[in-house]
Amino acid sequence: MAVFNRVESPRKAEEAIYDTTVLAGDGWTRELLPGQVLRIVDLEGNQAADTLFYDADHPEDHYSAVSTIAGQGNIYLTAGSVLRAESGKELLTIVADTCGRHDTLGGSCSAQSNTVRYSPDKLHMHNCRDTFMLQLSKRDGAYSKRDLAPNVNFFMNVPVTPEGGLEFADGVSSPGAYVELKSLCRTLVLISNCPQLNNPCNAYNPTPIRLLIWDQ
């Protein structure tokens, strides 16, 4: 069911305790404390922010698309959605969203998927899986590629066809659209700002995202 639930945030950028820009193709990781709020901003529109979450106190308990979808009875994320871990634990909830719908099914691009979906000569291209693994390698050995799981694609439009397949379609977010997530526990956030050039998820033009954090 394609629900768009748009909710504006009362938070002001100048009051954020953290503010950074992540360039297209770059990665980012940071721990959120309970109650902290992360805003992901699609600065130019149509960008895809591939994102994973982990219970920082139990690194093996990562975000689960299955638990999240089953818990809310909807394949898309929007304001009010609760993101759950493999154990069923509630990790975060979306408290504001001006885009209105985010993908849980499309997964992240990889060297291998680029060759299968597009052509063998795409093997060398920068991809989200490699960015994820690079970021996890910086966490003092606490995580490895075995900890990668199906991720959220914020701002990405992956409609389900009448036959039950998936389409990578033009994005549904506009310049400046954002989503805010409130952490319900100590949560590690892992983002790959997608460099994909082979499908229209980012209008074939990867662009930066902005990340802000508030204490509440």
Side-chain angles (χ1 to χ4, degrees), residues 20-34:
T20 193
T21 297
V22 180
L23 299 178
D26 284 355
W28 179 88
T29 184
R30 187 179 174 97
E31 237 176 58
L32 296 179
L33 299 176

Side-chain angles (χ1 to χ4, degrees), residues 72-113:
Q72 69 174 5
N74 195 312
I75 63 172
Y76 299 108
L77 300 179
T78 190
S81 292
V82 176
L83 283 68
R84 302 173 188 271
E86 284 283 309
S87 65
K89 181 176 181 176
E90 297 182 354
L91 298 177
L92 312 97
T93 184
I94 298 179
V95 293
D97 182 10
T98 62
C99 175
R101 193 182 81 185
H102 307 272
D103 169 61
T104 60
L105 301 177
S108 63
C109 58
S110 68
Q112 293 76 19
S113 68

Side-chain angles (χ1 to χ4, degrees), residues 9 27 43-44 86 97 120 129 131 147 163 170 178 186 196 206-207 211-212:
S9 170
L43 289 173
E44 299 184 32
E86 284 283 309
D97 182 10
R129 183 175 175 84
T131 300
D147 294 301
E163 296 75 29
D170 289 337
Y178 61 81
R186 205 164 64 89
Q196 184 59 258
T207 54
L211 304 174
L212 302 98

Side-chain angles (χ1 to χ4, degrees), residues 40-62:
I40 307 173
V41 186
D42 185 0
L43 289 173
E44 299 184 32
N46 275 358
Q47 179 59 11
D50 293 39
T51 309
L52 272 168
F53 304 97
Y54 301 82
D55 179 349
D57 293 318
H58 304 280
E60 73 283 355
D61 199 17
H62 53 68

Side-chain angles (χ1 to χ4, degrees), residues 43-183:
L43 289 173
E44 299 184 32
N46 275 358
Q47 179 59 11
D50 293 39
T51 309
L52 272 168
F53 304 97
Y54 301 82
D55 179 349
D57 293 318
H58 304 280
E60 73 283 355
D61 199 17
H62 53 68
Y63 163 80
S64 168
V66 173
S67 295
T68 299
I69 292 168
Q72 69 174 5
N74 195 312
I75 63 172
Y76 299 108
L77 300 179
T78 190
S81 292
V82 176
L83 283 68
R84 302 173 188 271
E86 284 283 309
S87 65
K89 181 176 181 176
E90 297 182 354
L91 298 177
L92 312 97
T93 184
I94 298 179
V95 293
D97 182 10
T98 62
C99 175
R101 193 182 81 185
H102 307 272
D103 169 61
T104 60
L105 301 177
S108 63
C109 58
S110 68
Q112 293 76 19
S113 68
N114 281 340
T115 63
V116 171
R117 290 174 177 168
Y118 310 113
S119 69
D121 64 358
K122 307 298 184 183
L123 181 67
H124 71 283
M125 295 184 73
H126 191 171
N127 62 80
C128 286
R129 183 175 175 84
D130 286 350
T131 300
F132 280 154
M133 289 193 292
L134 175 62
Q135 291 297 314
L136 288 181
S137 72
K138 301 175 182 179
R139 305 299 296 184
D140 298 323
Y143 301 85
S144 72
K145 64 181 180 181
R146 296 174 66 90
D147 294 301
L148 293 180
N151 56 281
V152 177
N153 292 306
F154 288 111
F155 311 115
M156 190 168 164
N157 185 25
V158 185
V160 178
T161 68
E163 296 75 29
L166 299 178
E167 290 182 352
F168 291 91
D170 289 337
V172 293
S173 67
S174 57
Y178 61 81
V179 58
E180 284 185 1
L181 302 106
K182 182 175 183 178
S183 185

